[in-house]
Amino acid sequence: MEKDAVVGFIGDLRSETTLPMARLLSVYGYTQSPIVRANNQNLSFILLTSLMFSLLCVFLFIGRPVDITCMLRQICFGIFFTVAVSSVLAKTIIVCIAFKATRPDSSWRKCMGVKLPYSVVLVCSSIQVLNAVIWLSVSPPYQELNLDYPGKIIFQCNEGSVLAFYLMLGYMGFLAALSFVLAFMVRTLPDIYNEAKYITFSMLVFCSVWICAIPAYLSSTGKNMVIVEIFAILSSGGGILSCMFLPKCYNILIKPELSSKGHSLQKIVRKN
């Protein structure tokens, strides 16, 4: 039974980690679609790629821990997830500025540009990378033996600097909360390609998962801590994927007429 459960878990894990690649390929095949072009396709590619690597990091949590996997699993997870959340934040900022810069004399037009979203992703991700470098330099994670259980020796990872670990999680939570607040403010603005409502739901799922997971993580020991963190990574990553890209994939693959230029012009005329 235990072996079947492990095989089933690995199968679910493989399907979860292949979803970003499948959606990346589906979006890449429709780069000229209005809905893809309007939602900044390059940022979408960065988001999907970082989510794919974030979910693949789960495999570092499986198996007997050694020093190198103990160091890599938290660092890689933190950096890749920060890139993903930073991409969502960059998308949110673009939506906010786009609606602020509707008038020709608006000062917000100076903020519009190709470099802005990439600068947001680069700066936000660099802060997490800096935290990771300091963490590895001062007190890196390492393998330890847990002898608290009579008759058992449990190999587990010690996070080293607990402060750096929670700074990593707290920084991701801050970026997600900032994205949620900004997206919530512009979620009802009238635009056919406004993805703020999708960002709102995705960040709500992300924050809800980690708010529930952190108390469970703190109250767990041994392999249960690993299970909780794996569940949180898969749930939050799957939530962002589903909320951000399922509606777009539906419009592109199932209802392509909804994302055509003709349909867009009809909706604009109907609103006016």
Side-chain angles (χ1 to χ4, degrees):
M1 289 293 292
E2 185 176 353
K3 184 177 180 180
D4 294 339
V6 172
V7 172
F9 174 76
I10 296 296
D12 294 339
L13 192 57
R14 289 175 60 187
S15 62
E16 180 82 18
T17 53
T18 53
L19 277 176
M21 180 60 72
R23 289 173 186 172
L24 179 63
L25 292 175
S26 64
V27 172
Y28 184 78
Y30 293 87
T31 53
Q32 299 305 314
S33 174
I35 193 170
V36 175
R37 297 177 65 184
N39 290 324
N40 199 319
Q41 59 183 358
N42 291 333
L43 268 183
S44 297
F45 294 153
I46 294 174
L47 175 57
L48 282 169
T49 304
S50 57
L51 279 176
M52 180 182 65
F53 284 111
S54 300
L55 296 175
L56 287 173
C57 288
V58 170
F59 289 103
L60 294 172
F61 290 81
I62 301 173
R64 177 177 171 175
V66 294
D67 288 341
I68 186 64
T69 56
C70 289
M71 287 189 290
L72 285 178
R73 68 184 193 179
Q74 300 293 1
I75 299 300
C76 293
F77 150 68
I79 291 176
F80 287 129
F81 242 116
T82 300
V83 174
V85 179
S86 300
S87 302
V88 176
L89 178 61
K91 281 174 167 287
T92 310
I93 292 175
I94 290 174
V95 172
C96 294
I97 293 178
F99 284 104
K100 292 285 187 181
T102 52
R103 292 183 302 177
D105 58 341
S106 176
S107 59
W108 289 97
R109 284 183 171 270
K110 298 178 182 179
C111 300
M112 296 292 290
V114 179
K115 296 182 179 179
L116 176 64
Y118 305 118
S119 300
V120 171
V121 175
L122 182 61
V123 171
C124 294
S125 303
S126 299
I127 295 175
Q128 190 70 283
V129 172
L130 179 62
N131 178 56
V133 171
I134 296 174
W135 186 1
L136 292 177
S137 302
V138 176
S139 181
Y142 58 92
Q143 179 204 64
E144 69 174 2
L145 301 179
N146 188 344
L147 305 176
D148 294 338
Y149 300 92
K152 293 183 180 180
I153 300 177
I154 299 176
F155 292 87
Q156 64 183 28
C157 287
N158 187 307
E159 306 305 342
S161 174
V162 178
L163 176 62
F165 175 68
Y166 287 110
L167 279 176
M168 178 191 74
L169 294 180
Y171 181 66
M172 286 193 296
F174 168 74
L175 294 179
L178 183 60
S179 299
F180 172 77
V181 172
L182 292 177
F184 186 80
M185 292 169 58
V186 297
R187 73 192 188 285
T188 57
L189 291 176
D191 189 273
I192 52 176
Y193 296 134
N194 181 14
E195 60 178 348
K197 54 181 177 293
Y198 305 134
I199 297 175
T200 303
F201 284 116
S202 65
M203 292 297 99
L204 182 61
V205 171
F206 182 89
C207 294
S208 300
V209 168
W210 283 101
I211 288 173
C212 297
I214 289 176
Y217 182 85
L218 293 175
S219 61
S220 303
T221 57
K223 63 181 180 181
N224 294 329
M225 298 177 68
V226 177
I227 294 173
V228 169
E229 189 165 0
I230 289 175
F231 172 79
I233 293 172
L234 294 179
S235 300
S236 56
I240 295 176
L241 277 174
S242 301
C243 295
M244 291 286 293
F245 293 101
L246 273 183
K248 298 174 187 176
C249 291
Y250 175 79
N251 288 339
I252 293 173
L253 301 176
I254 309 300
K255 296 286 186 179
E257 66 276 5
L258 296 180
S259 61
S260 64
K261 292 183 179 180
H263 184 266
S264 305
L265 292 173
Q266 288 178 6
K267 291 193 71 172
I268 294 174
V269 171
R270 210 175 289 130
K271 287 181 180 180
N272 294 334

